[in-house]
Amino acid sequence: MANSMVLVSLMALGLLMVFSTTTQVEAAARAFFVFGDSLVDNGNNNYLATTARADSPPYGIDTPTRRPTGRFSNGKNIPDFISDALGSEPTLPYLSPELRGEKLLVGANFASAGVGILNDTGIQFINIIRMFRQLQYFQDYQTRLAELVGNDEAQQIVSDSLVLITVGGNDFVNNYFLIPFSARSRQFLLPDYVTYLISEYRKILMRLHDLGARRVLVTGTGPLGCVPAERAMRSPNGECAPELQQAASLFNPQLVQMINGLNSEYGANIFIAANTQLQTSDFITNPGAYGFTTSKIACCGQGPYNGIGLCTVFSNLCSNRDEYVFWDPFHPSERANGIIVNNIVSGSTNYVSPMNLSTLLALNSNTRN
């Protein structure tokens, strides 16, 4: 299941201030498209024969129905809070049969738990929507949208839209470091592997641009070695696993550099990057400052730090979920997701560059009139 999925790419994202509700962007609702892994999967994997699923209790315990939705959370995930900020309803999974007619105007979520930048990442999950397929589905979506509103209007909807992509953590946890002497670790030294990942990620971002995306929020990896699963499996004293922390420290600066280079090439701020290393340190090391009691122990799980195995009906389950940074061994709690998005929307440029989401949409609002 997704217990072997890294999902702190977005823990990474911005944690300067604690807000009780998500800041709403002052702009008309626009289409929203989501790509990536389990941090942002809204339920696509529910429709696939894969173990990387979150469609059983206690996932979704804090949703209005108290039922699992396919999100790797006790409630809302990152895309849900961004939809709130946009003043829009949540995007549907692309594989959902409900995604038709007027629902297409809202956008779509193409993300799939377990995927990475590389096609060989997450092979143990077998049937997941790898990045090349997510991009193909985006192209197919645009064909369906054009049938609904016409080619010109469809192109305008995509051009005006917001895109979120979060991928990369699984390429370390579910590939390079998955087993001792993995194929990729024998092929590359870690710095060379990071360089290779960045070059492949660049191709994905360029393809998004080719497909019409003009406002793309890009996340890197967060504190890969500090999630409860890695503390439990790799650290005898419960400290952050150093090899995974090193991977993140190599990957994130190169990602920002690559994004800046793409923006220069395109002559516009198409891509927004997060300074993941800076944004995460206080959140993990000082959870009390954000109203949490722990960032080491997952709310749902078992073993040391509740970091071993799956989150199931048989797991330990906390009653005070708002006090936990992590919902399960890898994924943020609903409350942590809300804090992350508030900082994406209104955080300092030290943390979200070259500007935060609110500023980006305000600058581009005239194009929608």
Side-chain angles (χ1 to χ4, degrees), residues 63-119:
T63 63
T65 65
R66 297 181 63 84
R67 291 181 171 182
T69 62
R71 293 161 172 81
F72 290 80
S73 172
N74 56 305
K76 292 181 178 181
N77 66 2
I78 295 292
D80 294 324
F81 282 108
I82 291 179
S83 291
D84 289 346
L86 293 174
S88 178
E89 62 187 274
T91 56
L92 287 170
Y94 182 73
L95 297 183
S96 170
E98 298 178 20
L99 186 65
R100 61 184 186 276
E102 296 296 311
K103 293 289 187 181
L104 291 168
L105 301 177
V106 177
N109 187 312
F110 304 92
S112 179
V115 304
I117 296 167
L118 305 181
N119 289 333

Side-chain angles (χ1 to χ4, degrees), residues 63-320:
T63 63
T65 65
R66 297 181 63 84
R67 291 181 171 182
T69 62
R71 293 161 172 81
F72 290 80
S73 172
N74 56 305
K76 292 181 178 181
N77 66 2
I78 295 292
D80 294 324
F81 282 108
I82 291 179
S83 291
D84 289 346
L86 293 174
S88 178
E89 62 187 274
T91 56
L92 287 170
Y94 182 73
L95 297 183
S96 170
E98 298 178 20
L99 186 65
R100 61 184 186 276
E102 296 296 311
K103 293 289 187 181
L104 291 168
L105 301 177
V106 177
N109 187 312
F110 304 92
S112 179
V115 304
I117 296 167
L118 305 181
N119 289 333
D120 59 296
T121 292
I123 56 174
Q124 67 272 34
F125 305 118
I126 304 174
N127 191 17
I128 52 180
I129 312 171
R130 304 191 185 283
M131 290 308 304
F132 77 91
R133 185 65 64 193
Q134 292 185 30
L135 295 172
Q136 179 61 56
Y137 282 162
F138 186 34
Q139 189 169 10
D140 295 344
Y141 160 88
Q142 293 187 44
T143 299
R144 295 169 60 188
L145 183 63
E147 292 171 353
L148 179 69
V149 300
N151 286 328
D152 290 346
E153 180 64 18
Q155 290 176 15
Q156 191 64 50
I157 288 171
V158 172
S159 179
D160 288 343
S161 71
L162 176 67
V163 173
L164 167 67
I165 179 169
T166 175
V167 67
N170 283 324
D171 293 287
F172 296 104
V173 170
N174 280 312
N175 194 329
Y176 193 87
F177 292 108
L178 178 62
I179 57 174
F181 308 108
S182 67
R184 288 297 189 183
S185 67
R186 286 183 279 112
Q187 181 183 10
F188 293 104
L189 296 174
L190 181 59
D192 297 327
Y193 182 65
V194 169
T195 300
Y196 176 58
L197 286 180
I198 294 296
S199 68
E200 293 300 302
Y201 204 169
R202 187 176 190 274
K203 295 174 185 177
I204 292 171
L205 297 183
M206 292 178 69
R207 181 58 179 154
L208 274 174
H209 183 269
D210 291 344
L211 291 171
R214 294 297 181 267
R215 297 169 188 83
V216 184
L217 174 64
V218 184
T219 74
T221 67
L224 299 179
C226 295
V227 299
E230 299 303 335
R231 290 182 190 267
M233 292 186 293
R234 297 178 185 272
S235 176
N237 299 317
E239 300 302 316
C240 298
E243 63 271 30
L244 284 162
Q245 290 297 89
Q246 181 189 12
S249 69
L250 291 170
F251 181 85
N252 289 318
Q254 291 186 47
L255 178 62
V256 173
Q257 184 179 21
M258 180 266 283
I259 287 170
N260 290 339
L262 280 178
N263 284 339
S264 295
E265 287 184 29
Y266 290 129
N269 290 322
I270 304 296
F271 302 101
I272 299 178
N275 186 332
T276 54
Q277 295 293 86
L278 181 61
Q279 289 173 337
T280 308
S281 58
D282 287 346
F283 203 57
I284 298 298
T285 60
N286 190 15
Y290 304 95
F292 297 108
T293 59
T294 180
S295 61
K296 286 188 174 183
I297 303 170
C299 171
C300 181
Q302 47 277 315
Y305 313 104
N306 280 343
I308 302 296
L310 309 176
C311 171
T312 73
V313 292
F314 303 107
S315 298
N316 301 319
L317 180 64
C318 70
S319 59
N320 50 343

